[in-house]
Amino acid sequence: MSTLNRSRAKSAFSSPIASAAAVVIATLWTIPTFGLLISSIRPEQAINNSGWWTFFTNPEISFENYEKVLFQGTLIQPPMVQYFFNSLAITLPAVVFPITLAVFAAYALAWFDFKGRDFIFFSIFALQVVPLQLTLIPLLQLFAKGLSINGITIIPNLGITGTYIPIWIAHTIFGLPLAIFLLHNFLRQIPRELVEAAKVDGAGWFTMFRALIFPLSIPAIASFAIFQFLWVWNDLLVGLTFGAGSKEVAPMTVRLAEMVGTRGGGWEVLTAGAFVSTVVPLIVFFALQRYFVRGLLAGSVKG
């Protein structure tokens, strides 16, 4: 892209109209979350009798909702704080595992010259079109019973049902195609001259990865980490299916779905629980947003 076209694009996106539109969109997007926060700190009676916007004319503040939803359980349901730590125990490994595998796979596909490289990359890219729902039953049967063909056991029953392991494996499988695709495209934008210079200096493939490729790929890794974290943290289907109904491994989304119920009651604890579930993704996004933007835009324009 020429310098003139670049300057025109920059001026178009920095115009007063574009800035005003961004502010309006951000405000409209934030209002529901702000209303959820206000509702979560209002007493039960106030929530049931009036809308959250009346808080500004008649402010009533109570943190009883958070105490009730986080620390008060029943004989059947443990407190929400246990589901919170379950979500952390599911999400962190489910982000680290696919990134670890994808960064090495993308490095090999981007820079190693071997037969069938393009076929492997396009096959991985095509896996993104496979619906998640299509794989739930086969994977569930694999985790629960193993794999046997004509009476020959290929994969035995590993006894991992009701643990975090099948949830980690499922999220890793579902996240790998996108991770490899994004990281491969990013690594291909690294100037070949840098790689050749490292080879001339005597760096091997692993040394070059550790000292050159990995530090340069941090923006792309952070971009996928945000996508994967938000996806896993907000997921209900995979956690519910592969958790085998065990409350010891169920994420927060499972508990929130149970709290919604069918009668529309308990809004005071539901709003508190919903806001607790949004706090961590917001922290992750704002902490990594500068890498997120750089990773998305990397390679999108050429000088």
Side-chain angles (χ1 to χ4, degrees):
M1 182 182 289
S2 66
T3 304
L4 179 59
N5 290 336
R6 243 196 240 111
S7 62
R8 288 178 178 175
K10 183 177 180 180
S11 62
F13 285 104
S14 61
S15 65
I17 296 178
S19 301
V23 171
V24 171
I25 293 173
T27 302
L28 293 176
W29 193 271
T30 307
I31 286 176
T33 304
F34 184 70
L36 184 68
L37 172 62
I38 294 298
S39 297
S40 67
I41 60 175
R42 301 181 72 203
E44 177 182 358
Q45 183 178 2
I47 294 177
N48 294 330
N49 294 336
S50 60
W52 64 267
W53 49 89
T54 60
F55 172 83
F56 299 101
T57 58
N58 185 24
E60 296 180 77
I61 298 178
S62 173
F63 293 98
E64 183 181 353
N65 300 335
Y66 285 95
E67 181 182 358
K68 186 185 301 183
V69 73
L70 286 174
F71 304 110
Q72 293 183 12
T74 63
L75 294 176
I76 301 176
Q77 293 290 354
M80 177 71 80
V81 68
Q82 176 177 323
Y83 292 93
F84 179 84
F85 286 109
N86 289 348
S87 290
L88 285 178
I90 290 172
T91 305
L92 296 180
V95 173
V96 173
F97 292 160
I99 288 178
T100 303
L101 296 174
V103 70
F104 285 106
Y107 177 48
L109 291 171
W111 290 105
F112 288 21
D113 189 11
F114 58 90
K115 189 175 181 180
R117 180 181 66 174
D118 293 337
F119 174 78
I120 294 175
F121 173 70
F122 288 118
S123 299
I124 294 173
F125 175 74
L127 289 176
Q128 296 184 67
V129 304
V130 178
L132 183 153
Q133 294 81 0
L134 192 65
T135 64
L136 292 180
I137 294 179
L139 283 178
L140 188 61
Q141 291 178 339
L142 178 65
F143 295 148
K145 301 178 181 179
L147 176 63
S148 298
I149 300 178
N150 295 328
I152 301 176
T153 300
I154 307 299
I155 301 177
N157 181 5
L158 301 177
I160 58 176
T161 303
T163 66
Y164 293 120
I165 297 177
I167 306 178
W168 292 338
I169 296 175
H171 280 303
T172 300
I173 292 173
F174 298 144
L176 270 176
L178 177 61
I180 294 175
F181 174 72
L182 289 177
L183 291 172
H184 170 272
N185 290 347
F186 184 89
L187 295 181
R188 290 291 292 177
Q189 301 300 321
I190 296 177
R192 182 170 293 274
E193 291 78 8
L194 290 177
V195 178
E196 296 298 333
K199 289 182 180 179
V200 171
D201 290 339
W205 285 112
F206 182 77
T207 302
M208 189 161 41
F209 172 82
R210 176 179 55 83
L212 178 64
I213 301 298
F214 181 76
L216 291 176
S217 61
I218 291 297
I221 293 174
S223 296
F224 174 75
I226 291 176
F227 277 121
Q228 183 72 354
F229 189 96
L230 296 179
W231 155 249
V232 177
W233 183 270
N234 294 320
D235 170 74
L236 170 63
L237 184 60
V238 174
L240 183 62
T241 302
F242 296 106
S246 174
K247 300 185 185 304
E248 285 73 19
V249 301
M252 286 188 65
T253 49
V254 172
R255 179 60 184 133
L256 288 175
E258 294 173 349
M259 291 170 62
V260 172
T262 58
R263 301 177 182 272
W267 286 106
E268 71 283 357
V269 293
L270 181 58
T271 55
F275 190 77
V276 169
S277 70
T278 63
V279 169
V280 175
L282 287 175
I283 293 174
V284 170
F285 178 78
F286 286 119
L288 300 176
Q289 62 174 335
R290 60 188 180 122
Y291 296 111
F292 179 70
V293 175
R294 286 171 56 192
L296 287 182
L297 297 181
S300 61
V301 294
K302 294 183 179 181

